[in-house]
Amino acid sequence: MVYNGVVLFQVIFQMMMSADMVNITIKKRIGCIWMKGRFKSNMDSKSRKQAMEELSQKFEFRNIKQDEAEQAVAIEQICFPPNEACSEKHMRNRIAAAPELFLVAVDKETGKIAGFLNGLATDEYTFRDEFFTDAGLYNPKGKNVMLLGLDVLPEYRKQGLGRELVFQYLQREREKGRRMLLLTCLKSKVKMYEKFGFVDQGISGSTWGGEEWHEMSCTIVMD
């Protein structure tokens, strides 16, 4: 949600005056809110901590390994229709170029990937379809990240895993000094990403898969 100046001041003032929030430091109020280095979700802190602990017991969250490329390719084909899914070639190239821009959730019981979020760092501020197909656009020192896919296998959905992947990814990239994360999504997914802290910037210039996409952004570091 985007606030105008007056409403924003009122929101900040109320937060500062609240006894239980007096120690909160607001890092940024455009797109995402970070408090003491943590993302403020629509969950209270107790529920958030409990959900994180439960998922951490079941899943290991880390960078992808090169020998897991085949798993990522297979998961992508399951999670997206053919016109939207990243090809095997492009996925393998992306993993080879930027494994540190993949965050995977590995099921501790099976040792297999249950879901992942991936992107490419850049200094660009507008999403374009070439990021899907050209891993050479990756700039390790880029201040922004173009998110290229949130994949969760069907059997692991409705557990909060997708949300946890997004929150941990935002936290990780903030600690690296990134400024903004951008993505495109279908209209049906806009509300979901708004709950994750992203702001809908309207219809994107992307024509990937012959679909109409919304561009969404999340600013995570102050200038």
Side-chain angles (χ1 to χ4, degrees):
M1 182 181 294
V2 179
Y3 295 90
N4 61 36
V6 175
V7 175
L8 174 58
F9 176 79
Q10 292 173 341
V11 170
I12 295 176
F13 181 76
Q14 291 172 0
M15 291 172 66
M16 292 177 65
M17 294 300 294
S18 174
D20 62 339
M21 298 182 76
V22 68
N23 292 321
I24 289 173
T25 300
I26 299 179
K27 297 296 184 183
K28 190 74 174 180
R29 192 63 174 93
I30 302 177
C32 297
I33 306 176
W34 287 88
M35 298 179 177
K36 289 187 176 180
R38 292 184 59 191
F39 179 81
K40 184 193 178 201
S41 72
N42 58 355
M43 303 168 65
D44 61 61
S45 58
K46 184 177 180 180
S47 297
R48 167 79 180 114
K49 182 178 180 180
Q50 181 179 355
M52 182 174 61
E53 289 177 349
E54 290 176 354
L55 288 168
S56 294
Q57 290 176 1
K58 187 173 183 180
F59 302 101
E60 177 189 5
F61 294 89
R62 57 166 171 77
N63 292 348
I64 197 168
K65 298 177 181 177
Q66 294 296 331
D67 62 5
E68 293 172 325
E70 186 172 347
Q71 288 187 63
V73 169
I75 293 171
E76 177 82 358
Q77 302 306 314
I78 293 171
C79 292
F80 291 95
N83 62 312
E84 297 176 13
C86 178
S87 70
E88 178 177 355
K89 174 185 175 182
H90 294 141
M91 181 66 75
R92 289 184 181 277
N93 288 344
R94 196 183 301 163
I95 292 171
E100 67 276 15
L101 268 295
F102 279 73
L103 177 64
V104 300
V106 178
D107 187 322
K108 291 182 178 180
E109 288 189 2
T110 66
K112 301 295 184 181
I113 297 175
F116 64 91
L117 178 59
N118 75 102
L120 289 177
T122 177
D123 280 326
E124 296 187 36
Y125 283 84
T126 302
F127 198 102
R128 55 192 177 101
D129 287 345
E130 287 78 7
F131 284 105
F132 287 119
T133 58
D134 187 359
L137 294 173
Y138 174 44
N139 175 4
K141 297 181 179 180
K143 289 297 184 182
N144 304 320
V145 176
M146 301 295 169
L147 294 177
L148 302 175
L150 173 61
D151 301 55
V152 177
L153 285 170
E155 59 267 35
Y156 293 101
R157 293 173 187 172
K158 301 186 184 301
Q159 301 179 34
L161 182 57
R163 177 184 61 220
E164 187 63 25
L165 281 165
V166 172
F167 288 174
Q168 289 205 24
Y169 200 101
L170 290 168
Q171 173 71 33
R172 185 182 73 175
E173 296 311 308
R174 178 181 181 271
E175 291 173 352
K176 293 179 183 178
R178 310 286 191 203
R179 182 184 185 278
M180 181 183 295
L181 281 76
L182 299 98
L183 60 83
T184 57
C185 70
L186 298 176
K187 183 179 180 180
S188 61
K189 299 295 184 182
V190 168
K191 293 296 184 182
M192 179 186 78
Y193 283 107
E194 285 179 338
K195 291 180 181 179
F196 295 163
F198 286 78
V199 172
D200 186 7
Q201 304 294 345
I203 302 301
S204 170
S206 171
T207 59
W208 183 256
E211 303 277 7
E212 181 178 77
W213 303 90
H214 284 247
E215 183 162 323
M216 305 193 71
S217 64
C218 181
T219 302
I220 54 176
V221 175
M222 292 183 66
D223 290 328

